[in-house]
Amino acid sequence: MNETVGRFAPSPSGPVHLGNIACCLLAYLSARHQGGRFLLRIEDLDYRRCPVPNGEAVIRDLRRLGFDWDEEPLWQSRRNAVYQKALEKLRDHLYPCFCTRAELLASQAPNLGDTQTVYPGTCRNLSPEEIKARSLTRSPATRLRVPDLEISFTDGLQGPVTENLHEACGDFIVRRSDGLWGYQLAVVVDDAASGVTEVVRGRDILSATPRQIYLCRLLRFPVPRYVHIPLLLDPYGRRLAKRDRDLGLDQLLTRFTPEQLLGFLACAYHLIEKPEAVSLPELVEQFDWSRVPRGDVSLPEGIFEGL
Ligand code: GLU
């Protein structure tokens, strides 16, 4: 069997929070427990929201907690040429889209909420003349045409997932009108380039996975195994917010050792019974996915000790 290659791929739009660290922890433990390799990728495609110092801070913080990885971290902002090449491979499936965000929202069915829009296909069949005329006043985004196709996969924690791309999202963006690369494209290209075999990440990204699998198929990339982990909540069952300064890493490391922090996270995800200090090698040794619940988990109350 091939060696497991796991990875952690944070978007450094701010300081790392415990939710990110939990994701890194589970991805790391799973890869290392299988004797596999572990990689770090800084997802700074949107370099204005994710400036370089933020990425550097993430790397520093992960090191402070004892994490290690097997290659130099990959920075997405430096990989234009690679994404460009993938775009060329997809050429026959792409078309320019001139819709504005406001137009898209206006055409959206009201029951979908604002988290995911289904693209109505407005620009799908523009003639070459129309494209030329519209390009004079607006630079287009690039969309990938999706067929009426069901994509199925089995998530390592969430179980079987089936989605019809056409109904769930419609044709999706692979390059934005401002030139930034679409997240789906970059993730798939980078995971394949690094030989990633196991993707462990937050359950909030589960809904993007069928699109990524479809891209893998078109680009003839192997599809990795996916494990979408539950969201980490505070001890009172609330979502962790970036503004919650008491749970920021700098604050926490003034009150706890890295091993104590790992203990809180490992306990939240049911890997150990009590929130006691524990080392990464100990956690690697005893790691077992079957203990990790599917639904949201909460930090132990001890995390607020010493405030
Ligand atoms: N960069 C994404 C995030 O921080 C994660 C992407 C992934 O793991 O595929 O939410």
Side-chain angles (χ1 to χ4, degrees):
M1 220 178 105
N2 287 344
E3 186 189 34
T4 299
V5 182
R7 50 65 153 186
F8 176 52
S11 306
S13 56
V16 279
H17 54 82
L18 283 175
N20 303 133
I21 297 167
C23 187
C24 181
L25 178 65
L26 291 176
Y28 179 91
L29 295 180
S30 179
R32 294 295 195 221
H33 180 78
Q34 297 169 74
R37 297 195 301 131
F38 183 69
L39 307 175
L40 177 63
R41 178 168 78 235
I42 305 298
E43 299 217 316
D44 60 341
L45 284 177
D46 189 346
Y47 49 86
R48 288 173 293 238
R49 279 186 55 231
C50 304
V52 172
N54 282 12
E56 286 167 346
V58 169
I59 294 175
R60 224 173 20 247
D61 284 342
L62 295 177
R63 286 224 173 91
R64 282 206 281 178
L65 292 168
F67 291 107
D68 59 82
W69 38 90
D70 295 301
E71 285 170 20
E72 281 300 305
L74 210 67
W75 294 70
Q76 288 191 324
S77 57
R78 302 174 190 166
R79 292 175 55 74
N80 251 313
V82 187
Y83 306 136
Q84 185 64 47
K85 241 178 149 168
L87 201 71
E88 279 154 27
K89 268 172 89 177
L90 294 170
R91 201 172 35 222
D92 294 344
H93 303 267
L94 304 177
Y95 64 86
C97 170
F98 298 89
C99 296
T100 62
R101 186 177 281 270
E103 284 162 356
L104 292 177
L105 284 176
S107 66
Q108 185 189 332
N111 59 344
L112 278 171
D114 52 11
T115 48
Q116 189 162 320
T117 51
V118 178
Y119 183 62
T122 321
C123 295
R124 209 177 212 233
N125 296 311
L126 294 180
S127 69
E129 293 74 34
E130 278 171 309
I131 292 175
K132 210 164 152 195
R134 292 192 196 190
S135 301
L136 295 175
T137 52
R138 192 181 293 167
S139 50
T142 306
R143 270 187 202 272
L144 184 92
R145 208 183 286 272
V146 300
D148 192 358
L149 172 76
E150 288 209 329
I151 301 266
S152 299
F153 69 103
T154 301
D155 186 86
L157 262 184
Q158 309 301 332
V161 177
T162 296
E163 189 181 279
N164 182 308
L165 286 181
H166 202 61
E167 287 163 13
C169 61
D171 302 344
F172 62 90
I173 290 189
V174 287
R175 192 168 199 183
R176 292 177 10 178
S177 60
D178 59 6
L180 290 188
W181 296 101
Y183 155 72
Q184 321 296 349
L185 179 72
V187 167
V188 160
V189 168
D190 288 341
D191 281 338
S194 307
V196 167
T197 64
E198 184 177 87
V199 170
V200 176
R201 59 188 179 190
R203 208 175 53 177
D204 51 336
I205 306 182
L206 186 66
S207 63
T209 307
R211 274 171 279 171
Q212 296 178 13
I213 292 175
Y214 183 57
L215 277 171
C216 284
R217 289 190 192 166
L218 292 181
L219 291 164
R220 299 190 194 287
F221 293 156
V223 177
R225 165 178 134 89
Y226 293 100
V227 190
H228 287 88
I229 65 166
L231 217 62
L232 180 67
L233 304 175
D234 78 4
Y236 313 111
R238 294 178 307 215
R239 277 193 83 140
L240 291 175
K242 281 197 177 143
R243 61 181 180 278
D244 202 347
R245 294 219 350 266
D246 298 336
L247 295 177
L249 190 61
D250 282 334
Q251 260 291 328
L252 289 167
L253 285 173
T254 63
R255 295 171 10 237
F256 302 109
T257 63
E259 284 75 19
Q260 284 175 306
L261 284 183
L262 293 177
F264 286 126
L265 293 174
C267 180
Y269 281 89
H270 301 198
L271 295 174
I272 56 176
E273 268 157 42
K274 294 203 192 92
E276 290 166 347
V278 62
S279 71
L280 270 176
E282 281 172 277
L283 287 172
V284 167
E285 167 96 34
Q286 46 179 273
F287 182 73
D288 180 357
W289 272 120
S290 71
R291 294 188 187 194
V292 179
R294 279 176 177 207
D296 295 347
V297 300
S298 291
L299 281 161
E301 283 195 14
I303 197 95
F304 285 132
E305 242 163 58
L307 276 179

